[in-house]
Amino acid sequence: MALHEKKLPFKTHLVNVHKGEQYDPWFMEINPKGDVPVLKDGVKIIPDSGRILDYLEDNFTNGRTPPLIPKDHGIEVRQRVLHFRTLLDQLPVNHITAGSIYHTDLISNPKLPFVSPFRHMLRVSEINQSNYMRKHAENNPKFREILLQRADLVEKKHESIVNREEFTKWLNSVETVLVQVEDELASHSTEKTDWWLCSPEFSIADVALTVLLDRLCCLGLQERFWTGGKSPNLDLYFKRVQNRDSFKKAVPSTLIHLQLLLMMTPRVVGVSTCIVAALAVLVGGYFYVKRK
């Protein structure tokens, strides 16, 4: 989404996480941790979403590529943007995503791609993930040690995500942050109706908030956090951001979700995986920035 906001030309190489492609030798050469997303700019490789955002802001901010950290509205606005970016980035979104496939009674009305058949596939994949890593470790001696370490971490993560008490704590941590977000939005809902979270410009904090809200909505957690009058300003914010061009370009369409579900069934295993890689949960992006 940040690449679209900055209007940067880029090319995407999609990685099928569901099939463990991020642990294949070609990708481990790029990022030995086997994590997605990854950004490539020339010979530079930048892993991790947070580091990618910082890199884009530090290296691509000029007249043609607008800043995501406001510079023209005073130090207070800048500090608020950075404050909320930090709060949002610290939330255990990936753990909540994985945990949602086990604690289905705590969610309501999930969206594609987190509907029932897909949840079952995700559960099978999550349970077998450490085995996938250990198998990759046997076949790739160069990365054996790090893959075995990651397998141990995945097994510990599994113990946490199936724990209902832990999952509830993670949801509560999200609620604590979203209460602050609602208060921030309410503080300028009357006079500054054109503002986003912290400023009139769409900022790095808005990118983080939008990604979070979209994920929570897809998981079926919007009723817990903001719809039905619980957080009216946040509800309006999400409806507004869904009309933003960068959101429309970054979020997979319903057609792609349906194609993914079909392609994950055994009877279509032989079909090309290019569409499978479109979903954030099953795939990650390997992005190439095109410098002019």
Side-chain angles (χ1 to χ4, degrees):
M1 187 174 185
L3 288 165
H4 291 300
E5 283 292 334
K6 282 189 166 290
K7 307 183 189 307
L8 290 171
F10 64 94
K11 182 172 68 173
T12 304
H13 183 101
L14 300 170
V15 180
N16 192 332
V17 177
H18 180 67
K19 291 188 175 182
E21 189 180 359
Q22 73 274 31
Y23 304 119
D24 286 351
W26 75 268
F27 190 79
M28 294 291 287
E29 290 286 351
I30 296 170
N31 183 13
K33 290 186 176 181
D35 290 335
V36 290
V38 172
L39 176 73
K40 181 179 180 182
D41 179 21
V43 297
K44 296 179 181 178
I45 299 293
I46 303 94
D48 181 73
S49 297
R51 289 176 60 186
I52 290 172
L53 286 173
D54 290 335
Y55 181 83
L56 293 176
E57 189 67 6
D58 291 342
N59 293 274
F60 297 93
T61 298
N62 53 45
R64 292 181 300 176
T65 55
L68 291 175
I69 300 178
K71 299 180 179 180
D72 301 328
H73 301 285
I75 187 64
E76 183 177 352
V77 167
R78 181 182 177 88
Q79 288 176 340
R80 297 301 290 169
V81 167
L82 296 176
H83 168 72
F84 277 101
R85 186 260 178 110
T86 300
L87 282 181
L88 293 160
D89 282 352
Q90 291 175 345
L91 292 174
V93 179
N94 289 335
H95 283 62
I96 291 173
T97 300
S100 70
I101 65 179
Y102 294 98
H103 308 287
T104 55
D105 60 310
L106 296 178
I107 64 174
S108 176
N109 191 28
K111 311 293 189 301
L112 285 169
F114 295 99
V115 293
S116 295
F118 187 79
R119 286 180 182 276
H120 173 71
M121 297 172 195
L122 279 179
R123 182 179 296 190
V124 172
S125 178
E126 194 278 327
I127 291 173
N128 292 322
Q129 190 176 13
S130 64
N131 291 331
Y132 295 156
M133 291 181 179
R134 296 186 189 283
K135 182 177 180 180
H136 276 284
E138 293 176 4
N139 297 329
N140 300 283
K142 181 177 180 180
F143 303 107
R144 182 178 184 276
E145 184 176 351
I146 190 169
L147 285 169
L148 291 177
Q149 290 174 353
R150 292 299 300 273
D152 290 339
L153 290 175
V154 165
E155 289 169 356
K156 291 180 180 179
K157 176 184 175 183
H158 176 78
E159 294 176 3
S160 296
I161 65 176
V162 298
N163 185 305
R164 187 181 182 87
E165 184 177 350
E166 285 294 315
F167 185 71
T168 302
K169 287 181 181 178
W170 297 332
L171 294 181
N172 290 340
S173 70
V174 171
E175 184 171 12
T176 298
V177 171
L178 290 184
V179 166
Q180 295 184 52
V181 169
E182 174 69 12
D183 290 343
E184 179 72 16
L185 292 171
S187 70
H188 51 71
S189 62
T190 303
E191 297 180 358
K192 302 174 181 178
T193 56
D194 60 333
W195 275 40
W196 290 96
L197 177 55
C198 304
S199 75
E201 282 82 34
F202 200 81
S203 73
I204 199 168
D206 291 292
V207 172
L209 178 57
T210 299
V211 172
L212 172 66
L213 295 181
D214 182 62
R215 176 60 60 85
L216 294 175
C217 181
C218 289
L219 291 176
L221 289 166
Q222 70 279 10
E223 293 181 14
R224 181 186 182 98
F225 292 122
W226 70 83
T227 61
K230 290 185 177 180
S231 296
N233 292 291
L234 189 58
D235 194 13
L236 289 172
Y237 175 96
F238 188 50
K239 291 175 181 176
R240 181 185 174 199
V241 81
Q242 286 176 305
N243 290 318
R244 197 167 179 86
D245 286 343
S246 61
F247 181 90
K248 294 177 181 178
K249 292 176 181 178
V251 175
S253 67
T254 300
L255 176 60
I256 289 179
H257 286 311
L258 293 174
Q259 288 173 319
L260 172 65
L261 291 174
L262 289 174
M263 293 175 66
M264 288 180 65
T265 59
R267 59 191 174 86
V268 288
V269 167
V271 181
S272 168
T273 60
C274 62
I275 298 177
V276 173
L279 294 179
V281 177
L282 294 186
V283 302
Y286 174 30
F287 303 103
Y288 302 79
V289 175
K290 297 180 180 179
R291 289 183 181 266
K292 295 183 178 180

